[in-house]
Amino acid sequence: ATRTKSVDVERADSGIGQMPARKWRNRASETLSSLQAWEAHRPCTDCGERDLPVETDVQNCNQRRADLCEKCRKRRTERKESVLEFVNTEASYGEDLRIIKEEFYLPMQAAGLLSQEQLLGIFSNIQELIDLNENFLEVLQEEIDQAFDQGDDDLMTVCIGEIFLEFVNMLPAFQTYCLQQSSSVNMLNALEKEKELLRIFLNVSQNDNTALRRMNLRSFLMAPLQRVTKYPLLLSRIIKATTEYHPDHGSLREAKSRIESHLEHINMKTKQEGNTWTLRSFRQDSKKKREVINIEMRETALKTVGWLREETRFVMEGSLQLAQPPDGQWVKKGSKTLKFQNMQVLLLVNMKRVSESSLESAEPGPVKDAVLVLIRDKNNGKFHLLREPLRLSNCIVSTDPDCDDTFELIEIRREAFVFRDSDRARTHHWFRQIRRYSRELGSWKKRRNALPNIMISTPHTRP
């Protein structure tokens, strides 16, 4: 029998001739070689570079980490260690706070060694710091556990910067404690010399109580100061090990800047009160200097309105130009006839907390009150209130199409103010924000659509 040639079989089965079949096999072989070469030099998923080592044993390597170059592998390892260090040291700091309360404060209170006023003078707002640490640590630990549960062994989904910014209200609590530290230590020294029972209790606790690790009360009282100055260092380590493309990179830098500004503000307040000690100083720059000024203004505003810090939201703050028109003729002549002065303005909103278990609720409650605080800067680091805060529930905010670079705020039966910013777009933004909260407050304005010519008789009114 005559054998059928392979070429004839190919032609009969597929219709592909000898030459096209050979080209197709060569092209398939080249494609496979290209895929293998690309796999051998695939780009790093973190940095995009192509200096990955060739993986020979796939079963013995983690495929997710096999897509990383050596530099990024090392960076991820350093980032994971830095994140865990942040969480673990926060837990250790919390344990020291609980020792202060359970091993010193409560026994001294139960034994009547000191009065309540003396205990408050020594331990300051230690309970507030304990509550803040517990809430902060709980959120941090939940993020770590969730990352491990989802298979994120490198903790790349853990965003320390975002969490820190959510709990930024803990920084004023540190400030309260730090500013009272000098007087607390002086009071403790005086009482220890005066009260023999107190001196005996402190000596016995240090020598016999194993939970204290041979440390005295003064060492434990320094824990909050040591912790607040360590935050920038811990954040710096995480930033160094976090690529700039990571979603938490910007939040980490902002968190570090915020804590450094608060430390500089604490040092400034310490010098003003005549104390010689200071916290660790950081490199000054114009941005941090502005943030320190903002912190000072926020404290002045909070002290003026008397609201709780956790219920207060600073909607807007910054420099505005302010004028008080003597009569209604300025509307026809325009804002050029007005005499403006620079003023620091803060828009504060008092929010009702939805949940008492969280410091900042994800969904803020209804607006209880809103005020506009006007502060004059005397250029010497101190601030002066122009007047009592303007309560937006008693104000009408309006603008004029013929004078769109300003807006007017009229306090019912009292005064009228004209505001503007050097940037017209920002002037409009201020106007929209102030008008929004002005309309939300005051039931009479909801019924009358907040028209300025109703219930008001003033020469400054304009439609």
Side-chain angles (χ1 to χ4, degrees):
T2 304
R3 290 186 177 182
T4 305
K5 295 181 179 181
S6 60
V7 176
D8 297 332
V9 173
E10 271 188 294
R11 185 179 296 110
D13 291 345
S14 61
I16 302 176
Q18 182 177 7
M19 292 301 294
R22 189 175 301 169
K23 291 181 179 179
W24 181 84
R25 285 193 296 268
N26 292 337
R27 187 174 300 174
S29 177
E30 291 175 0
T31 303
L32 180 61
S33 300
S34 299
L35 289 174
Q36 292 175 346
W38 183 89
E39 179 66 20
H41 301 283
R42 60 195 177 279
C44 172
T45 57
D46 279 6
C47 65
E49 297 181 1
R50 294 177 178 270
D51 59 347
L52 279 74
V54 178
E55 297 291 344
T56 56
D57 189 358
V58 180
Q59 296 180 351
N60 294 334
C61 69
N62 187 329
Q63 184 60 38
R64 187 160 52 88
R65 292 183 64 86
D67 294 337
L68 300 173
C69 64
E70 190 64 28
K71 180 180 178 181
C72 290
R73 287 188 192 183
K74 184 178 179 181
R75 177 184 292 174
R76 283 199 177 192
T77 301
E78 292 175 352
R79 186 181 187 279
K80 178 180 178 180
E81 293 174 352
S82 300
V83 169
L84 291 177
E85 180 186 11
F86 189 99
V87 179
N88 293 335
T89 53
E90 186 70 22
S92 300
Y93 160 67
E95 184 62 29
D96 288 342
L97 293 181
R98 284 184 286 276
I99 288 177
I100 294 175
K101 178 181 178 181
E102 297 173 4
E103 305 298 336
F104 290 104
Y105 180 87
L106 293 179
M108 292 164 67
Q109 184 184 46
L113 295 178
L114 297 176
S115 65
Q116 192 62 35
E117 182 179 356
Q118 291 170 336
L119 289 171
L120 181 61
I122 293 176
F123 295 97
S124 187
N125 60 330
I126 195 68
Q127 184 59 52
E128 182 183 11
L129 295 177
I130 292 175
D131 296 338
L132 289 168
N133 167 261
E134 290 178 351
N135 293 332
F136 188 37
L137 186 60
E138 181 181 359
V139 175
L140 289 172
Q141 196 60 55
E142 286 179 357
E143 289 290 318
I144 297 293
D145 296 340
Q146 184 178 1
F148 282 130
D149 293 341
Q150 295 176 350
D152 179 17
D153 296 334
D154 294 329
L155 303 181
M156 295 298 292
T157 58
V158 178
C159 296
I160 297 293
E162 292 182 4
I163 299 174
F164 193 95
L165 291 177
E166 290 178 5
F167 284 83
V168 74
N169 273 346
M170 66 182 177
L171 298 180
F174 277 106
Q175 175 178 316
T176 300
Y177 186 90
C178 292
L179 292 179
Q180 296 183 9
Q181 179 64 19
S182 180
S183 60
S184 298
V185 173
N186 293 335
M187 178 179 290
L188 178 61
N189 294 335
L191 291 173
E192 191 174 3
K193 294 179 181 179
E194 177 183 343
K195 297 178 178 291
E196 183 179 0
L197 290 179
L198 175 62
R199 185 167 61 253
I200 294 174
F201 168 77
L202 294 177
N203 289 334
V204 172
S205 298
Q206 180 179 356
N207 295 324
D208 298 342
N209 191 341
T210 56
L212 303 186
R213 310 186 299 272
R214 293 278 183 177
M215 294 171 57
N216 56 26
L217 175 57
R218 293 174 185 81
S219 300
F220 282 101
L221 291 177
M222 291 294 294
L225 280 74
Q226 296 169 348
R227 185 58 185 172
V228 73
T229 54
K230 196 171 183 179
Y231 280 135
L233 305 178
L234 295 172
L235 291 172
S236 295
R237 294 177 187 174
I238 301 177
I239 293 172
K240 185 179 179 180
T242 302
T243 176
E244 60 179 342
Y245 304 108
H246 193 279
D248 195 39
H249 190 268
S251 298
L252 285 167
R253 288 193 173 277
E254 183 180 355
K256 180 174 177 288
S257 178
R258 295 284 290 273
I259 181 62
E260 289 180 354
S261 299
H262 271 272
L263 292 177
E264 292 296 340
H265 181 252
I266 293 174
N267 285 337
M268 183 186 70
K269 298 288 288 186
T270 301
K271 293 178 182 178
Q272 290 178 356
E273 295 181 5
N275 296 326
T276 56
W277 66 272
T278 58
L279 298 175
R280 181 180 183 271
S281 297
F282 295 87
R283 182 176 58 85
Q284 286 272 14
D285 56 34
S286 57
K287 183 178 179 180
K288 289 186 177 63
K289 186 176 181 180
R290 288 195 302 269
E291 181 62 25
V292 170
I293 294 175
N294 291 339
I295 295 171
E296 184 75 12
M297 288 194 301
R298 292 175 203 143
E299 287 198 344
T300 303
L302 272 179
K303 188 181 299 183
T304 303
V305 298
W307 296 347
L308 295 176
R309 190 181 301 275
E310 57 270 19
E311 295 181 357
T312 303
R313 188 157 63 93
F314 293 89
V315 179
M316 289 191 71
E317 56 187 30
S319 178
L320 279 179
Q321 295 179 358
L322 176 146
Q324 292 182 268
D327 51 41
Q329 298 299 319
W330 73 273
V331 179
K332 299 180 181 179
K333 298 179 181 179
S335 59
K336 293 181 180 179
T337 61
L338 298 177
K339 183 178 180 181
F340 286 90
Q341 56 178 327
N342 292 325
M343 196 70 55
Q344 296 292 332
V345 182
L346 293 89
L347 175 57
L348 282 70
V349 175
N350 193 3
M351 311 293 292
K352 185 177 181 181
R353 293 172 65 186
V354 176
S355 174
E356 295 294 332
S357 61
S358 62
L359 292 176
E360 293 186 4
S361 175
E363 297 182 359
V367 177
K368 294 195 296 184
D369 202 357
V371 298
L372 210 62
V373 180
L374 309 178
I375 299 178
R376 180 182 294 141
D377 188 1
K378 291 187 175 182
N379 297 324
N380 58 357
K382 295 184 179 180
F383 302 96
H384 172 69
L385 288 173
L386 179 67
R387 64 187 306 283
E388 67 272 14
L390 290 164
R391 298 199 173 273
L392 298 187
S393 58
N394 299 328
C395 296
I396 293 294
V397 187
S398 59
T399 187
D400 194 302
D402 298 330
C403 194
D404 61 349
D405 61 338
T406 62
F407 64 90
E408 186 178 25
L409 185 144
I410 303 174
E411 192 178 17
I412 298 175
R413 301 186 186 281
R414 294 195 63 182
E415 296 178 277
F417 299 90
V418 178
F419 293 94
R420 72 179 182 186
D421 193 278
S422 55
D423 180 51
R424 183 169 300 185
R426 188 160 175 82
T427 300
H428 294 166
H429 185 55
W430 272 100
F431 167 70
R432 289 192 297 268
Q433 289 290 342
I434 296 175
R435 183 180 59 177
R436 170 193 171 189
Y437 292 104
S438 176
R439 286 179 172 180
E440 287 187 13
L441 301 168
S443 57
W444 61 272
K445 284 183 287 188
K446 295 179 182 179
R447 293 194 301 268
R448 292 174 170 82
N449 198 25
L451 295 177
N453 59 343
I454 296 179
M455 297 182 64
I456 301 177
S457 178
T458 172
H460 312 303
T461 303
R462 48 182 172 142

